[in-house]
Amino acid sequence: MKLVLLGAPGAGKGTHATHLSDDYGIPHISTGDIFRANLRNGTELGLKAKSYMDQGLLVPDELTVDLVLDRLKQDDCKNGWILDGFPRNLFQAEALTKALADEGDEIDYAINLIVDDQEIVRRMSGRLVCSSCGVSYNTNGLMPKVDGVCDRCGGPVVRRADDEPETVLKRLNVYHEQTEPIAAYYRGLGKEARVDGALPKDETYALLTGLLGDKDGCHN
Ligand code: ADP
Ligand code: ZN
């Protein structure tokens, strides 16, 4: 199963992608996580990406597209993958479609997690993330059982630098200007699946598994 997750920052892409990845046994590929890992490790890519991320801007396509397309060629991607945070503009979406088409392939769904701006701002103001595995927590909702320690991997749970309120608004603008239009692109390809992302987490997840079917991929 090959999935693209669309939706505003804070719509729950990372949370649901992690869960789907565990349940369906396919890798969760988050470009944000890849950039943050590069930042932590002080790589050249991390250094280049940092200034864009800190400002809430998109990292340039030259640094992003090949990175993802190469990742999709790795062995663990044979049975599918879940892309979270990519594509983020029309250029990236078209590059992905083309790279897959060259292999006679296509995505199954572009899942659009619908959450309104007010709820996004509310969620992101309380968001904390595990800096090791990327799982999200929220001061308005689910918190780790032990303060500051990830339930899933034991890593440190912290506020992301780009979750400061000013940067959140900037990222939301970038989302509306550059990322939201790709929903229409996938609609045109007959791939868009709209899912209510504002419900309690488990209810949204049930909608997702209802859409995708069991993990043998019988939905086709
Ligand atoms: P969120 O979905 O919460 O906004 P991400 O972790 O997906 O956060 O992304 C964090 C930052 O990483 C983005 O604001 C952007 O700077 C950069 N980034 C992630 N994915 C992409 C991408 N596909 N293209 C360009 N920049 C990206
Ligand atoms: Zn963790």
Side-chain angles (χ1 to χ4, degrees):
M1 182 148 44
K2 300 189 171 79
L3 303 176
V4 162
L5 288 189
L6 302 174
K13 299 187 297 292
T15 302
H16 293 301
T18 303
H19 199 170
L20 289 169
S21 166
D22 289 345
D23 281 357
Y24 288 76
I26 49 178
H28 166 204
I29 300 168
S30 156
T31 41
D33 287 350
I34 294 173
F35 288 135
R36 280 185 292 277
N38 275 275
L39 250 173
R40 278 199 301 282
N41 297 329
T43 69
E44 201 185 323
L45 174 66
L47 288 175
K48 284 182 182 159
K50 180 177 165 37
S51 61
Y52 299 97
M53 294 174 75
D54 285 349
Q55 294 175 72
L57 300 172
L58 295 189
V59 176
D61 293 333
E62 309 86 86
L63 299 178
T64 308
V65 174
D66 289 344
L67 175 85
V68 174
L69 297 182
D70 287 344
R71 177 69 186 84
L72 298 183
K73 288 183 193 135
Q74 288 175 21
D75 267 359
D76 63 333
C77 288
K78 278 207 189 82
N79 296 322
W81 32 259
I82 305 165
L83 277 174
D84 159 15
F86 182 95
R88 233 180 174 90
N89 61 29
L90 209 48
F91 179 83
Q92 294 179 5
E94 286 171 344
L96 176 64
T97 301
K98 184 174 179 308
L100 293 172
D102 287 348
E103 309 283 318
D105 205 354
E106 59 184 14
I107 64 164
D108 292 280
Y109 293 105
I111 295 171
N112 193 358
L113 286 172
I114 310 289
V115 180
D116 69 37
D117 282 8
Q118 205 188 339
E119 173 66 9
I120 290 296
V121 171
R122 194 186 75 84
R123 284 185 189 181
M124 293 182 63
S125 68
R127 179 160 79 168
L128 300 172
V129 296
C130 171
S131 50
S132 295
C133 78
V135 162
S136 294
Y137 298 91
N138 204 297
T139 55
N140 307 313
L142 181 73
M143 285 292 282
K145 293 190 182 79
V146 179
D147 207 25
V149 180
C150 178
D151 292 344
R152 187 168 185 254
C153 79
V157 173
V158 297
R159 174 185 282 267
R160 256 167 55 177
D162 60 351
D163 277 350
E164 298 304 329
E166 223 170 89
T167 318
V168 167
L169 293 180
K170 178 74 199 171
R171 285 160 65 204
L172 209 45
N173 275 337
V174 168
Y175 167 74
H176 286 305
E177 281 169 16
Q178 300 189 53
T179 309
E180 210 170 20
I182 64 182
Y185 166 78
Y186 282 115
R187 201 173 310 142
L189 298 178
K191 296 292 184 190
E192 189 201 22
R194 294 168 69 85
V195 172
D196 187 349
L199 300 171
K201 198 171 75 172
D202 293 350
E203 291 177 33
T204 294
Y205 192 71
L207 293 176
L208 290 171
T209 51
L211 170 75
L212 301 174
D214 68 35
K215 61 181 178 178
D216 301 324
C218 296
H219 62 282
N220 281 329

